[in-house]
Amino acid sequence: MWSVPGLTLSAPNWEINYQGKLTDNTGALVANGNYDMEFKLYTVPTGGSANWTETPCKSGTTGTGAMIGLFSVMLGSKFTALTGVNFNQTSTAPLNVNIVADGETDAT
């Protein structure tokens, strides 16, 4: 019989680190500042409805910060946990992003 000293089991981290670059309609980097961003995960590649949504900027909070157009967020860490999302699917779950009400776009 054998054992593994110091082996401990821990719960999974239900967060996703997502990084991106914000540009305007001409392709230039946006100014430094906070931007309202909404993230959605879908169960089907096109159409359907979101099975998870997180809006890092809500009333009384600041938006997601962008420095030289670059941003980084931990999805699932602020308002909506990812524990209800089934990541064990045969099809891809697209991540869509809506920035400052410019309209939702596929981030994949």
Side-chain angles (χ1 to χ4, degrees):
M1 187 164 173
W2 58 276
S3 66
V4 179
L7 177 66
T8 59
L9 300 176
S10 62
N13 179 7
W14 290 100
E15 297 175 356
I16 298 173
N17 181 6
Y18 181 75
Q19 300 172 0
K21 178 173 73 171
L22 298 179
T23 59
D24 64 16
N25 59 352
T26 67
L29 296 173
V30 299
N32 294 348
N34 289 327
Y35 294 87
D36 293 345
M37 302 175 83
E38 177 182 58
F39 300 89
K40 293 181 180 182
L41 281 173
Y42 289 83
T43 56
V44 293
T46 58
S49 59
N51 68 340
W52 175 87
T53 301
E54 181 162 88
T55 306
C57 184
K58 292 189 175 187
S59 289
T61 65
T62 59
T64 302
M67 182 68 96
I68 317 170
L70 304 176
F71 70 91
S72 178
V73 296
M74 289 300 290
L75 300 177
S77 68
K78 291 200 177 232
F79 303 110
T80 310
L82 287 163
T83 54
V85 177
N86 178 9
F87 289 103
N88 191 23
Q89 300 180 57
T90 56
S91 63
T92 305
L95 172 66
N96 286 22
V97 181
N98 183 20
I99 301 170
V100 197
D102 281 344
E104 195 171 308
T105 58
D106 188 349
T108 56

